[in-house]
Amino acid sequence: MAITSAVCNSFKQEILQGYHSFNASGDTPAGNAFKLALYTSSATINKSTTAYSATNEISNTSGSAYSAGGIALTNITPVLDSDTAICDFSNVSWSSASFTANGCLIYDDSTVTGMTTDAAVCTIAFGGDKTVTSGTFTIEFPAAAASTAIIQIA
């Protein structure tokens, strides 16, 4: 069981088929709805992951900070940085949280004819368990640049 960081192979194909739109909600056309789900070290998510699954997703042990399916991401309209197309998301947080996460899955929560339900975009390994106890758990996305953006097409 392991979580590895990767852009999912199914996503690469679905991009060319036109299923995913990363435009911000105010853009035309409006973008799809993306979410981020957190997983325990028992999860196996990697480049072969095709869709969101609740298997080995974290559970909130205190209060209601984390809900199954994760949290909605604010999608940012893709831009070019030199010759690389990039996409970034706003940081997300869970307040008053108590849980342990080892990695996450970004997935497309939109209903698009022909696309897998809850289609996987990418997996991110945290490099070990990250625990929060009655505090704020934050995912900080890297800078939106060709060498650092979470999603890059070079």
Side-chain angles (χ1 to χ4, degrees), residues 49-144:
T49 301
T50 58
Y52 161 78
S53 169
T55 303
N56 294 311
E57 185 176 12
I58 68 154
S59 61
N60 187 41
T61 57
S62 177
S64 60
Y66 187 85
S67 298
I71 195 167
L73 293 172
T74 302
N75 37 329
I76 305 299
T77 300
V79 297
L80 281 176
D81 183 12
S82 190
D83 292 330
T84 302
I86 58 173
C87 181
D88 190 23
F89 297 101
S90 297
N91 297 341
V92 292
S93 298
W94 291 264
S95 300
S96 303
S98 294
F99 55 72
T100 298
N102 192 270
C104 66
L105 169 72
I106 295 176
Y107 68 98
D108 191 335
D109 193 40
S110 301
T111 302
V112 178
T113 302
M115 184 176 79
T116 302
T117 302
D118 296 332
V121 173
C122 66
T123 58
I124 302 168
F126 295 161
D129 283 344
K130 305 298 178 192
T131 301
V132 61
T133 305
S134 298
T136 300
F137 188 89
T138 301
I139 304 286
E140 293 182 10
F141 287 99

Side-chain angles (χ1 to χ4, degrees), residues 2-70:
I3 298 174
T4 57
S5 296
V7 173
C8 298
N9 286 336
S10 57
F11 171 75
K12 295 172 189 175
Q13 180 178 357
E14 291 163 353
I15 275 285
L16 295 176
Q17 293 169 322
Y19 292 136
H20 302 278
S21 173
F22 286 87
N23 285 341
S25 59
D27 292 345
T28 303
N32 294 6
F34 293 88
K35 292 183 87 175
L36 182 145
L38 298 172
Y39 289 87
T40 70
S41 59
S42 297
T44 300
I45 56 173
N46 53 44
K47 68 180 182 179
S48 298
T49 301
T50 58
Y52 161 78
S53 169
T55 303
N56 294 311
E57 185 176 12
I58 68 154
S59 61
N60 187 41
T61 57
S62 177
S64 60
Y66 187 85
S67 298

